[in-house]
Amino acid sequence: MNIDLTDEELAFRDEVRAFFQNELPPQVKEKIQRGLRISREDQIAYQQALYAKGWAGANWPEEYGGTGWSATQKYIFNNEAAAARAPRIIPFGLTMVAPVIYTFGNEEQKQRFLPDILASKVWWCQGYSEPNAGSDLAGLKTRAVRDGDHYIVNGTKTWTTLGHYADWIFCLVRTSDTGKKQEGISFLLIDMNSPGVSVTPIITLDGRREVNEVNFDEVRVPVENLVGEEGKGWTYAKVLLTHERTNIAGVATSKQRLERLRNMLAEPPAGMPSLVDNSVYMARVMETEIELKALEFTELRVLSAVATGKAPGPESSILKIKGTEVQQMIDELYLEAAGHYALPFVPEQYEEGGEANMIEPHFAPDTAPHYYNNRKVTIFGGTNEIQKNIIAKAVLEL
Amino acid sequence: MDFALNDIQQMLQDSAAKFIQNDYDFETRRRLSESELGYSEENWKLFAELGWLALPFDEEYGGLGGNLTDLMVLQIELGRGLVVEPFFSSVVLGGNLIQRHGSASQRAELLEPLIAGELKLAFAYIEPQSHTSITDIETSAERSEAGYRLTGHKAVVLGGPSADLLLVAARTSGKRGDRNGLSLFLVDPAQPGVTLKSYPTNDGFRAADIHFDDAKASLLGEVDSAHGAIQATLDDAIVALSAEAVGVMEKLLDATVEFCKVRKQFGQPIGKFQVLQHRMADMFMECEQTRSMLYFGAITATAGGEEASRAASMLKVKVGSAGRLVGQQAVQLHGGMGVSDELDVGHFFKRITMINTLLGSRDEHLQRLIGDAQVA
Ligand SMILES: Cc1cc2nc3c(=O)[nH]c(=O)nc-3n(C[C@H](O)[C@H](O)[C@H](O)COP(=O)(O)OP(=O)(O)OC[C@H]3O[C@@H](n4cnc5c(N)ncnc54)[C@H](O)[C@@H]3O)c2cc1C
């Protein structure tokens, strides 16, 4: 048992560190430094910088342009990215739909879609959930009916993250009503510009537009956009879920956020209360840190099991549950650190040009909206209750 | 021993509940909160007519002479409606300070228009560096022949933007941290030496950071001796705010139970899942425990004295812990709908979250109680 990095791994770490220091797009770097929000364009510029470096496909097989990184290298990359406070990589294209396409898609689909995903030329969004199919995803009703060499799609997807930015959406759709519900589901790729697709905003508790409802009204989708076989969509989506566990816990980001908080506690910026003498608060900081350390090692254990060829099993639900719980503990610590300046609602001060009349400390007014918004992490990607059901059933065999 | 409401309290509760039910549904509240002013002047006049603005004030000034328990009854209902009118800032904080610390003539002069709905107050005491310590005050008042002049920066003044008159805590002698040497001033916010940076709060209210630069100010009550009145007013305010919190929490519980009865997944109402049943049983117990703590706080504070501060801190700790659990679980059990702006539940969640930040958080009061215990 050891966690030492080899010389090659140390060299890799330095290379990644240098990338974040020198090769981040300047406007992105500046916004990070000034604590401003990242726009769609910034996000694309960042992901394209990674692509230029050959680092866009961290989890992809090398034959499709992936990095071929080891688990340790991914771990190093995530830590360095978080330390540089780089934006997260939008997962829908690079880490969600791409694996389905390269694993289950045909040659033509691979050639058509993968290069643009890798180069972040096309923005994807995820169309799984529906108003009446959330936790019970298999109850989904969006229908795709075959009509010659097209499917006609009707129905409503909801909670579609950044759907208003997206060029394409990958959907689970119902192609049959016979047999088990899961067996009538297919995996379909839909161009958001198709006639009949409409996107309406859903505003979240932070007052921002992050999610959408996406409506399909008689949308004609060519049959060549079906991935794999009709009726197998559920299996593909599930394979994707159990394989896609890297970084789901957000350990690297949580570590970085906790470290920044510690620095602020040691030297509070103007307007932030001094909290180091509050032992109740400091105990919470310490407990969070301990939980995070345990989680880091749990994640390393899962990663090393994967590296030795074991597929991550349902026990990796731990990563989702504990990872999101720790994130929310940290949100609460920040909220407390903001003191009274958690109260002003001044979203404009996090936008380019909106910093006149700024409320100091700059981080403070964002802590409450962030806390509100981030209640989502225990809800999406399978709620934490559903994750616990999985542990109870599949791990504990109850 | 009797925890029943008396006739007057029952009437008060009924009239407040009726107002919320008939005139203050969630969409109305949203519209008011997002309006230019941030609340309704018409409602404010109605509050005056209903006698709510008179509730805590002595009869000789036109008040109803109500006690903290009466105020509690009203505040619970206002919490259930998420009412954004500046009742807490203007009446509970501002009015009570005047009643406690104003001279007889100042009380007569100020409480009457306050009760009539013609004067709104805001209390400016927090400073960027002070957090919740009421003795950590740098704003200072200089005495000159023409009266007092005030200089300093007050942070997050609730109801500041709509106040006709500001009550400002400032230092007239002593040094940072001293109890002695604090005074209260009446300041006209419309004068040149006062600059307001107004903003909405992220739970739908209004507040302002206020800079005073050699602003004209007149003394309220006696000089140097405002500490006791401020402390007592804030202790009472904790009880009033906690009452609002109980209203908010009970709404969160009710909304969640209702939602879990109608929301179906896997072919059944999600309320049938035992894990969610237990979660709601926990929320229910926390609501009841908080209500109990509120009664303890109200009764102890009404009696006054040293114990009042301690009881207020204990109550605020309970509200912080229980409010956190109830608010977070309400959102969690609503699934995606819980984080959407559309449903009222998210807005109740925001309010309960910010109630923890106001008047000292759970951590601060807990630390204070531990500190007191060590000294004792
Ligand atoms: C901000 C945000 C972004 C999202 N982005 C996307 C996206 O891009 N694409 C997409 O497809 N979806 C997205 N989602 C949807 C997300 O996956 C769903 O919200 C989630 O699956 C829960 O479904 P629901 O909201 O319908 O809640 P429900 O399923 O109605 O759940 C309500 C409550 O009941 C509980 N519950 C349900 N069933 C059980 C059970 N069997 N046992 C115990 N408890 C149970 C849940 O845990 C929850 O607490 C997003 C959601 C949010 C909030």
Side-chain angles (χ1 to χ4, degrees):
Chain A
M1 236 186 270
N2 85 81
I3 54 162
D4 299 334
L5 298 184
T6 64
D7 287 344
E8 294 85 59
E9 287 164 347
L10 285 171
F12 176 72
R13 187 196 62 192
D14 292 342
E15 191 189 354
V16 177
R17 194 166 289 176
F19 168 83
F20 283 108
Q21 249 158 35
N22 309 323
E23 291 170 61
L24 272 186
Q27 82 271 24
V28 176
K29 194 164 184 176
E30 196 195 320
K31 284 193 180 173
I32 295 169
Q33 271 159 4
R34 285 162 58 200
L36 300 181
R37 290 194 198 284
I38 299 295
S39 68
R40 181 182 192 271
E41 289 65 40
D42 300 331
Q43 182 70 41
I44 292 172
Y46 167 56
Q47 293 186 186
Q48 291 187 339
L50 286 175
Y51 171 69
K53 184 81 184 165
W55 288 353
N59 297 303
W60 294 32
E62 281 171 274
E63 56 172 314
Y64 303 116
T67 55
W69 282 344
S70 67
T72 310
Q73 282 176 301
K74 287 181 207 168
Y75 170 81
I76 291 170
F77 177 84
N78 287 336
N79 273 295
E80 293 301 323
R85 294 169 68 193
R88 70 170 188 140
I89 293 166
I90 300 293
F92 308 111
L94 283 164
T95 55
M96 287 186 170
V97 73
V100 174
I101 293 174
Y102 61 63
T103 313
F104 302 106
N106 58 35
E107 257 333 292
E108 200 231 309
Q109 288 169 336
K110 292 179 194 172
Q111 307 237 340
R112 183 172 163 208
F113 293 110
L114 293 179
D116 284 351
I117 295 175
L118 198 65
S120 289
K121 281 192 185 149
V122 171
W123 191 299
W124 285 81
C125 64
Q126 177 189 29
Y128 284 12
S129 307
E130 298 181 4
N132 289 312
S135 296
D136 183 13
L137 186 57
L140 62 90
K141 295 240 154 48
T142 295
R143 188 165 296 275
V145 179
R146 184 80 184 251
D147 175 28
D149 45 13
H150 282 78
Y151 285 103
I152 312 289
V153 179
N154 280 291
T156 303
K157 294 292 176 183
T158 193
W159 308 119
T160 319
T161 299
L162 301 180
H164 55 302
Y165 285 0
D167 308 301
W168 280 74
I169 182 168
F170 57 98
C171 286
L172 291 178
V173 294
R174 182 156 300 287
T175 41
S176 156
D177 283 320
T178 51
K180 276 181 68 185
K181 315 189 266 188
Q182 286 82 351
E183 286 161 9
I185 293 174
S186 302
F187 200 101
L188 200 59
L189 312 176
I190 303 177
D191 185 339
M192 295 285 278
N193 286 318
S194 317
V197 178
S198 57
V199 182
T200 40
I202 299 175
I203 305 302
T204 41
L205 285 183
D206 51 358
R208 295 169 54 82
R209 177 182 187 177
E210 175 178 304
V211 285
N212 302 272
E213 194 168 283
V214 180
N215 215 67
F216 300 92
D217 180 16
E218 299 287 315
V219 178
R220 295 182 70 82
V221 182
V223 285
E224 62 256 30
N225 290 6
L226 176 78
V227 178
E229 285 174 51
E230 208 176 81
K232 288 273 171 68
W234 186 257
T235 324
Y236 304 154
K238 264 181 74 169
V239 169
L240 161 72
L241 278 177
T242 40
H243 262 282
E244 190 32 63
R245 299 290 177 186
T246 325
N247 206 26
I248 191 171
V251 169
T253 307
S254 288
K255 269 170 39 180
Q256 183 275 330
R257 289 182 71 207
L258 213 56
E259 189 184 311
R260 260 182 73 220
L261 178 67
R262 278 239 178 246
N263 292 338
M264 288 202 296
L265 290 170
E267 269 178 74
M272 178 178 145
S274 167
L275 284 160
V276 283
D277 294 332
N278 186 324
S279 53
V280 176
Y281 179 77
M282 293 312 286
R284 284 209 286 141
V285 175
M286 206 60 238
E287 270 168 357
T288 307
E289 210 165 299
I290 293 164
E291 204 58 39
L292 178 57
K293 182 54 79 183
L295 179 66
E296 183 179 8
F297 270 68
T298 303
E299 188 181 57
L300 288 173
R301 284 167 57 205
V302 171
L303 288 176
S304 91
V306 174
T308 56
K310 293 188 199 97
E315 66 275 12
S316 54
S317 284
I318 302 173
L319 298 182
K320 202 277 168 167
I321 298 171
K322 284 291 160 192
T324 52
E325 283 178 0
V326 167
Q327 287 170 39
Q328 293 181 340
M329 285 163 86
I330 296 173
D331 295 341
E332 291 184 60
L333 294 175
Y334 269 89
L335 188 60
E336 184 79 24
H340 290 281
Y341 283 118
L343 276 150
F345 182 63
V346 286
E348 60 278 7
Q349 83 175 32
Y350 303 102
E351 302 294 340
E352 185 79 65
E355 295 154 287
N357 266 328
M358 206 165 69
I359 297 285
E360 299 276 10
H362 184 260
F363 81 93
D366 196 39
T367 56
H370 181 83
Y371 166 78
Y372 299 152
N373 174 288
N374 218 35
R375 299 312 300 174
K376 72 189 174 190
V377 296
T378 48
I379 295 169
F380 65 25
T383 69
N384 283 19
E385 288 76 20
I386 296 295
Q387 302 293 340
K388 286 181 190 173
N389 287 349
I390 293 174
I391 292 180
K393 214 168 131 186
V395 183
L396 306 177
E397 297 178 2
L398 291 165
Chain B
M1 208 176 313
D2 180 11
F3 287 106
L5 301 184
N6 63 31
D7 290 349
I8 294 174
Q9 290 165 345
Q10 193 60 57
M11 267 170 54
L12 190 59
Q13 187 186 54
D14 292 345
S15 87
K18 209 174 107 208
F19 165 73
I20 305 293
Q21 173 122 44
N22 297 340
D23 303 314
Y24 216 88
D25 64 16
F26 177 65
E27 287 312 315
T28 306
R29 188 268 187 189
R30 183 202 294 279
R31 187 171 46 73
L32 292 178
S33 171
E34 289 172 1
S35 69
E36 176 88 28
L37 185 63
Y39 66 93
S40 150
E41 271 297 335
E42 231 170 87
N43 283 340
W44 194 251
K45 292 274 180 273
L46 183 68
F47 289 8
E49 278 164 36
L50 291 167
W52 297 353
L53 306 184
L55 189 60
F57 305 120
D58 294 346
E59 286 163 26
E60 59 175 306
Y61 305 111
L64 294 178
N67 61 23
L68 207 48
T69 320
D70 304 328
L71 188 60
M72 173 188 93
V73 169
L74 177 60
Q75 278 283 101
I76 292 176
E77 298 309 315
L78 297 184
R80 297 184 74 88
L82 272 188
V83 168
V84 288
E85 277 66 20
F87 183 80
F88 179 74
S89 50
S90 190
V91 176
V92 177
L93 289 174
N96 276 327
L97 269 178
I98 287 175
Q99 170 144 295
R100 276 218 168 77
H101 199 63
S103 65
S105 64
Q106 284 171 326
R107 281 185 233 169
E109 195 184 313
L110 296 168
L111 291 180
E112 209 175 290
L114 177 69
I115 288 168
E118 284 151 11
L119 174 75
K120 270 185 288 299
L121 303 168
F123 179 32
Y125 68 108
I126 302 158
E127 298 183 359
Q129 85 291 344
S130 71
H131 209 29
T132 44
S133 159
I134 57 167
T135 54
D136 187 352
I137 284 183
E138 285 178 352
T139 298
S140 64
E142 297 288 331
R143 189 171 186 154
S144 72
E145 273 165 32
Y148 283 95
R149 294 270 167 185
L150 214 73
T151 299
H153 173 187
K154 292 293 179 182
V156 198
V157 179
L158 298 177
S162 60
D164 306 301
L165 194 59
L166 299 170
L167 279 153
V168 185
R171 196 157 275 296
T172 33
S173 71
K175 55 180 193 319
R176 244 173 100 172
D178 286 353
R179 287 188 174 201
N180 285 330
L182 294 180
S183 304
L184 283 168
F185 291 92
L186 299 164
V187 180
D188 174 6
Q191 61 174 300
V194 181
T195 320
L196 269 80
K197 190 198 287 182
S198 300
Y199 39 75
T201 59
N202 62 50
D203 54 354
F205 289 72
R206 298 295 162 97
D209 266 45
I210 307 182
H211 288 267
F212 301 93
D213 182 13
D214 203 29
K216 238 169 71 187
S218 53
L219 188 67
L220 182 82
E222 299 286 322
V223 75
D224 282 344
S225 61
H227 180 267
I230 296 174
Q231 184 66 58
T233 298
L234 291 177
D235 288 344
D236 281 6
I238 286 181
V239 175
L241 185 67
S242 299
E244 184 192 337
V246 165
V248 172
M249 284 163 63
E250 291 178 355
K251 276 291 280 196
L252 281 161
L253 171 65
D254 293 350
T256 305
V257 170
E258 265 322 296
F259 180 83
C260 289
K261 282 182 186 165
V262 295
R263 171 68 174 169
K264 286 197 179 131
Q265 287 288 276
F266 304 99
Q268 55 186 315
I270 58 173
K272 291 278 173 224
F273 297 121
Q274 206 162 47
V275 62
L276 301 193
Q277 292 178 349
H278 284 199
R279 211 73 69 75
M280 286 181 275
D282 286 337
M283 291 167 70
F284 167 74
M285 291 191 290
E286 287 304 305
C287 285
E288 290 303 319
Q289 287 282 88
T290 309
R291 200 177 247 276
S292 299
M293 205 59 205
L294 174 64
Y295 291 180
F296 163 75
I299 290 168
T300 313
T302 306
E306 277 285 293
E307 268 307 292
S309 266
R310 206 178 122 74
S313 283
M314 289 168 71
L315 172 58
K316 196 65 175 44
V317 170
K318 186 67 207 169
V319 165
S321 309
R324 169 177 177 270
L325 179 129
V326 171
Q328 292 181 350
Q329 292 309 327
V331 170
Q332 181 70 21
L333 268 53
H334 276 79
M337 291 308 288
V339 293
S340 82
D341 177 74
E342 183 190 332
L343 281 199
D344 59 358
V345 67
H347 298 264
F348 282 94
F349 167 63
K350 288 185 184 189
R351 181 62 183 153
I352 199 68
T353 305
M354 285 303 109
I355 282 177
N356 183 52
T357 297
L358 297 172
L359 303 181
S361 67
R362 169 195 172 274
D363 286 5
E364 288 165 314
H365 283 284
L366 204 47
Q367 181 68 26
R368 188 176 300 170
L369 289 166
I370 295 169
D372 289 352
Q374 282 166 350
V375 173

